[in-house]
Amino acid sequence: MSAPACHVCGAGPVMLVAGYDGFRRVTSDCKPWPAGGQCAVCPACQCAQAVLDARWHAEAKAIYDAYTIYHTSHGVEQSVFDQASGQATTRSARLLQRVLKEVSVPPAGRMLDIGCGNGAMLRAFSQLAPNWKLAGVEVNDHYCATVQAIPGVERLYVGDLDTVPGQFQLISLLHALEHIPEPRAILRRIWDKLEPGGLLLIEVPDCAANPFMFLVADHSSHFFLPVLRELVRGVGFEILAAANDWVAKELTLVARKSPASDTPAVALPSVLPAVQARLDWLAAVRAHAKAMSAKGNFGLFGTSIAATWLYGELDGRVDFFVDEDPSRIGKTCFGHSIRSPKELDSRATVFLALPTPLAEAVRTRLGSAGTGPAYIVPPPLPA
Ligand SMILES: [Zn+2]
């Protein structure tokens, strides 16, 4: 088949990345998904992306029809671990604390969270900025009662952005932009919904630091920081912050609707070699984990995207999962027990399903006693 145009900027044709269709995939709500997707890079805007053909749309619909938020932890928002301390906080609270520290946010206003899910971001915002009026918009009303019970929430709007009345001083898109088939179009509509001077907050996975995210079947775009920054700038926003270290493995961008902003366009180098190197890394991770699992008494550290993907690639040949999140320990993942690192025997092998630097930090923290299981770190990440 001929390659289609870019779904971000409309240029084309995109360049297909060789070998991607040999990888099994995973859904963004952490379920194994079969191989067969396509990954491409746009030669103009450099956005790495899925090919949004009829098959992709059918797969995305099937995934969303069966969607469960945080199913392993029964609806509790995923925790972010500080690798130094092992302490957890919610991802939304961690992000917001940093935003409020780095960016001047007015003491009151009206805020909209697009793709608000069960209200994790709205709940965190309500606690940290209690004088704001809050609203959420979501494609279904599954969590309507939960969201509308959050202090400050005026209501949950169901449908697309056009169903939401009025203007806002802050609009957030957390783990939403990478799902949206027309990211530039939604950013233009957000521009129209913001008051002059209003803020846009985006968080998406950092595919450079976390290559496992290339394997999420329902993600339409796979962002690198310079590409995300240029996308938002191109819509007219003034970029206030664009960071890959506010939350580990995430890209955070804060921008302002500044009608006079005229920051010049930046010519981006090709990201194709970086994407190909990350797919090669994923193949090496898969081979490494397969070799280790053949020995038996084998566990995967983690119960999220990376561990779920490896579980699928290993055809389920996993004896247990390991997690430090108290809301997950003692439960099961695909029928296998989720154990605390403290309850592992010394003959076990545990593959750290994490990007390499985080895996090394975990091995240093948990493996220093020398009497526990063997913790296996993935190969070095490409530069
Ligand atoms: Zn493009």
Side-chain angles (χ1 to χ4, degrees):
M1 63 162 266
S2 62
C6 172
H7 69 253
V8 180
C9 74
V14 294
M15 299 173 290
L16 295 176
V17 184
Y20 182 85
D21 58 357
F23 287 100
R24 295 196 201 180
R25 292 168 292 162
V26 57
T27 67
S28 60
D29 62 337
C30 298
K31 295 165 188 162
W33 197 255
Q38 289 185 293
C39 181
V41 170
C42 172
C45 73
Q46 295 299 332
C47 192
Q49 54 195 272
V51 172
L52 304 192
D53 54 10
R55 177 176 173 167
W56 183 88
H57 283 284
E59 289 188 322
K61 182 178 186 310
I63 290 168
Y64 296 143
D65 283 349
Y67 214 74
T68 39
I69 298 180
Y70 323 127
H71 68 95
T72 314
S73 51
H74 299 267
V76 178
E77 189 188 12
Q78 185 183 358
S79 297
V80 177
F81 280 93
D82 181 317
Q83 296 299 348
S85 67
Q87 295 298 302
T89 181
T90 69
R91 188 158 69 181
S92 301
R94 170 77 65 91
L95 170 67
L96 267 181
Q97 284 161 355
R98 187 66 187 258
V99 169
L100 294 172
K101 181 170 165 237
E102 304 277 352
V103 177
S104 175
V105 175
R110 188 169 180 242
M111 177 270 199
L112 175 68
D113 188 35
I114 297 177
C116 65
N118 61 5
M121 173 64 175
L122 293 169
R123 195 169 294 108
F125 200 90
S126 169
Q127 286 168 1
L128 290 166
N131 296 324
W132 281 65
K133 290 189 186 119
L134 311 179
V137 61
E138 194 39 276
V139 294
N140 59 56
D141 65 353
H142 296 171
Y143 295 99
C144 186
T146 307
V147 169
Q148 294 192 163
I150 296 167
V153 169
E154 59 186 44
R155 64 170 285 187
L156 172 74
Y157 296 94
V158 177
D160 69 11
L161 188 51
D162 296 333
T163 65
V164 184
Q167 299 290 106
F168 293 86
Q169 283 77 43
L170 194 157
I171 296 180
S172 57
L173 272 172
L174 304 188
H175 290 263
L177 194 65
E178 69 273 28
H179 292 265
I180 293 170
E182 295 162 322
R184 181 167 286 181
I186 190 88
L187 291 173
R188 289 201 172 116
R189 286 157 69 204
I190 289 171
W191 174 276
D192 292 338
K193 295 297 290 179
L194 279 171
E195 295 276 7
L199 299 172
L200 165 66
L201 168 61
I202 294 174
E203 191 175 64
V204 295
D206 181 359
C207 292
N210 187 9
F212 296 110
M213 302 312 289
F214 281 105
L215 303 168
V216 179
D218 47 310
H219 283 180
S220 59
S221 306
H222 308 296
F223 289 110
F224 287 13
L225 186 57
V227 176
L228 175 66
R229 186 188 174 103
E230 190 58 15
L231 167 63
V232 175
R233 187 212 60 78
V235 173
F237 285 96
E238 176 191 2
I239 310 294
L240 300 182
N244 60 6
D245 58 356
W246 286 14
V247 179
K249 301 183 290 174
E250 312 287 350
L251 301 177
T252 310
L253 185 142
V254 186
R256 181 161 52 203
K257 178 175 175 175
S258 302
S261 179
D262 57 353
T263 318
V266 175
L268 300 171
S270 173
V271 303
L272 189 57
V275 174
Q276 192 70 63
R278 279 156 182 78
L279 296 188
D280 293 346
W281 180 83
L282 288 166
V285 168
R286 176 174 60 189
H288 198 178
K290 273 187 180 169
M292 290 294 158
S293 73
K295 298 174 177 178
N297 198 0
F298 176 80
L300 287 173
F301 185 98
T303 52
S304 296
I305 297 289
T308 302
W309 169 66
L310 273 173
Y311 174 81
E313 289 279 15
L314 296 171
D315 287 318
R317 285 194 291 274
V318 167
D319 299 297
F320 56 92
F321 288 86
V322 182
D323 208 304
E324 294 183 277
D325 186 337
S327 70
R328 299 188 182 197
I329 294 166
K331 299 195 172 72
T332 60
C333 188
F334 309 119
H336 300 280
S337 60
I338 302 174
R339 301 180 189 168
S340 157
K342 298 189 184 88
E343 49 183 311
L344 301 177
D345 77 74
S346 60
R347 291 150 300 168
T349 301
V350 176
F351 192 88
L352 295 159
L354 291 165
T356 312
L358 292 171
E360 283 171 343
V362 171
R363 182 172 65 180
T364 300
R365 185 160 52 76
L366 297 180
S368 57
T371 54
Y375 286 103
I376 309 300
V377 171
L381 263 187

